[in-house]
Amino acid sequence: MKNIIAAFFILLAVCFQAQNLERLSKEINEEGIALYRSEMASWYGTDIFRANYEKMENVGGYFSYIDESVPKCIFFSKENKVLATIAFPTNYNSQNAKLDLKERDFTPVETEYFTIRQSALATIKTDTIFKYYKNTNFNIVPLIKKNIKKVYVLTGPTVNNLVVFGNDYLITFNNKNEVKDVEKLHNSLITQNITDEKVGKTVSGIHSHVIENWQTMTPTDICTLMLYQNLTNWESYITISKKFTTIWNSNNQTVIMKTEDYKKMAENILNRNNDNKTDSKKNAE
């Protein structure tokens, strides 16, 4: 009877852990998609704005956000007035984007985004946790969801044929829009060429995580993978840490498992392949 009870609690613990990892995977995936949607609006919004606005010396900055499912990119002046609003369809087709160059005040929602964006910019300039690397720049991505306010800071390349992971940060705010915490998401900058001179076009990639609070794939990893998917055509990507291994595929499905389980699975697959090779050799003889 004691063995049955013990087995029951072990099974319960395994199921509970699996549910927790599934929930965590969903949360990270959704956050990564939110970052991706904001960055896509910024990428295409910048191109449209530059092609249609001449007085660039008036520009103070920009940010993007989702307005009732509509991705919008906002450019504002040095006097903190909106200079342009670019609204996109969900597929981000620039030909169907709506450009409004009418100068106006921020809406209440835009004021919230602008406030934490400017606070994050000031923090980047003063906090020594932020590192700068050659041929890169920082992308500031404010997110507000259910009154939780945060800004992700991603590092993007300024050269071609390169995907950059790492050197990214998360700034969280309290309900007064004051900085509550600043943390690194990766320990360093990680780069991967889209095309390798020796082997040609790469099909996947892997990097490791060592920061204790970020042992799984991060929302910034997922955002980067989605942004560059049309250039890399990567079918999958893996992050691995002491605790967890995360596998992302091109359908934007993410699976998190314990690293020890992942290693056992990989070992079983390797052994099975070796057994198949041995059987094939015997049959050939």
Side-chain angles (χ1 to χ4, degrees), residues 1 16 22 48 51 59-60 72 129 133 147-148 162 184 186 190-191 210-211 215 232 269 273:
M1 186 65 179
F16 182 72
E22 186 177 354
I48 292 172
V59 179
K72 289 184 177 180
I129 192 175
Y133 290 86
N147 294 322
I148 297 176
L162 195 67
K184 296 170 64 174
H186 289 76
I190 305 149
T191 61
V210 297
I211 294 178
Q215 293 277 297
T232 64
I269 293 173
N273 289 340

Side-chain angles (χ1 to χ4, degrees), residues 6 32 37 59 89 101 108 119 123 160 174 200 265:
R37 295 188 71 193
V59 179
L101 291 172
S119 180
T123 302
N160 296 326
N174 61 23
M265 182 183 71

Side-chain angles (χ1 to χ4, degrees), residues 88-284:
F88 290 91
T90 53
N91 64 359
Y92 293 94
N93 187 333
S94 296
Q95 293 181 349
N96 296 327
K98 296 180 180 179
L99 171 65
D100 184 355
L101 291 172
K102 181 180 179 181
E103 186 172 318
R104 61 176 176 82
D105 293 328
F106 289 117
T107 66
V109 171
E110 290 167 352
T111 298
E112 296 290 302
Y113 277 92
F114 171 77
T115 300
I116 61 174
R117 188 261 186 202
Q118 295 302 92
S119 180
L121 181 61
T123 302
I124 291 170
K125 292 179 179 179
T126 57
D127 196 321
T128 56
I129 192 175
F130 294 92
K131 292 185 179 180
Y132 294 86
Y133 290 86
K134 186 179 179 181
N135 296 326
T136 67
N137 55 25
F138 282 140
N139 296 328
I140 302 173
V141 189
L143 290 182
I144 301 176
K145 183 179 180 181
K146 296 179 180 179
N147 294 322
I148 297 176
K149 301 173 184 178
K150 58 182 73 171
V151 170
Y152 284 92
V153 182
L154 291 77
T155 293
T158 57
V159 294
N160 296 326
N161 196 42
L162 195 67
V163 180
V164 171
F165 299 95
N167 196 42
D168 44 3
Y169 309 84
L170 174 60
I171 306 173
T172 52
F173 297 82
N174 61 23
N175 55 13
K176 296 180 180 179
N177 292 332
E178 298 168 335
V179 174
K180 184 169 64 175
D181 190 33
V182 181
E183 57 182 322
K184 296 170 64 174
L185 306 186
H186 289 76
N187 197 45
S188 60
L189 184 76
I190 305 149
T191 61
Q192 183 169 348
N193 290 329
I194 296 173
T195 303
D196 190 290
E197 293 181 359
K198 295 181 180 179
V199 300
K201 200 169 184 68
T202 56
V203 297
S204 185
I206 184 172
H207 69 257
S208 60
H209 286 184
V210 297
I211 294 178
E212 187 64 27
N213 290 338
W214 294 96
Q215 293 277 297
T216 66
M217 187 173 284
T218 64
T220 52
D221 287 331
I222 291 173
C223 172
T224 298
L225 288 165
M226 293 181 69
L227 286 172
Y228 288 92
Q229 174 62 21
N230 64 327
L231 297 176
T232 64
N233 291 317
W234 288 343
E235 297 178 359
S236 64
Y237 198 91
I238 295 174
T239 64
I240 189 166
S241 71
K242 181 174 62 178
K243 293 181 180 179
F244 300 110
T245 294
T246 309
I247 305 171
W248 172 91
N249 67 29
S250 56
N251 293 325
N252 206 39
Q253 296 174 328
T254 305
V255 176
I256 300 173
M257 64 180 72
K258 293 174 67 175
T259 293
E260 60 185 85
D261 294 335
Y262 172 75
K263 288 181 177 179
K264 288 178 183 177
M265 182 183 71
E267 186 177 345
N268 288 336
I269 293 173
L270 180 62
N271 290 337
R272 194 178 302 119
N273 289 340
N274 289 336
D275 290 341
N276 290 337
K277 288 180 181 178
T278 301
D279 291 340
S280 297
K281 184 177 180 181
K282 287 180 179 179
N283 291 335

Side-chain angles (χ1 to χ4, degrees), residues 45-62:
T46 299
D47 291 339
I48 292 172
F49 180 71
R50 287 177 174 171
N52 291 275
Y53 189 81
E54 297 180 353
K55 300 178 181 179
M56 296 301 294
E57 65 275 8
N58 294 340
V59 179
Y62 68 91

Side-chain angles (χ1 to χ4, degrees), residues 29-93:
N29 217 49
E30 288 178 350
E31 191 90 319
I33 292 171
L35 285 173
Y36 162 79
R37 295 188 71 193
S38 177
E39 279 290 79
M40 283 289 282
S42 294
W43 278 20
Y44 290 114
T46 299
D47 291 339
I48 292 172
F49 180 71
R50 287 177 174 171
N52 291 275
Y53 189 81
E54 297 180 353
K55 300 178 181 179
M56 296 301 294
E57 65 275 8
N58 294 340
V59 179
Y62 68 91
F63 60 87
S64 294
Y65 72 105
I66 307 302
D67 183 15
E68 296 182 355
S69 80
V70 178
K72 289 184 177 180
C73 182
I74 304 296
F75 280 83
F76 56 87
S77 69
K78 293 176 182 177
E79 289 74 34
N80 300 336
K81 294 282 188 178
V82 174
L83 296 174
T85 307
I86 306 106
F88 290 91
T90 53
N91 64 359
Y92 293 94
N93 187 333

